[in-house]
Amino acid sequence: MAETDPIELQKALKGAPYPADREKLVDVARKNKADSAVVEKISHLGKKSFESPAEVQKAVFGTE
């Protein structure tokens, strides 16, 4: 699978309400017509709740 692009992640999560749980982020990504790889990555994040887009980005790219 190709590496997730930070810009694609930002586009996928545009309009997401924070704090948000993982399921809400998946819903937002699907509504934003995100690539299936991005949706899959979000759906398998270890945390269940995120306070900000930066927190999601840290979880996706392993910079926690």
Side-chain angles (χ1 to χ4, degrees):
M1 171 171 28
E3 192 65 30
T4 304
D5 180 341
I7 293 170
E8 291 302 314
L9 180 63
Q10 290 175 2
K11 289 179 185 177
L13 299 177
K14 183 178 181 181
Y18 290 94
D21 63 22
R22 186 174 50 211
E23 291 76 23
K24 180 63 178 172
L25 295 177
V26 168
D27 288 343
V28 169
R30 286 186 177 135
K31 286 178 185 169
N32 287 334
K33 300 187 184 339
D35 182 84
S36 61
V38 173
V39 174
E40 190 73 13
K41 189 82 166 179
I42 294 167
S43 71
H44 287 91
L45 292 175
K47 289 184 73 173
K48 292 188 181 198
S49 182
F50 298 87
E51 297 296 320
S52 69
E55 200 173 313
V56 177
Q57 191 146 340
K58 285 179 184 179
V60 169
F61 296 107
T63 55
E64 287 191 301

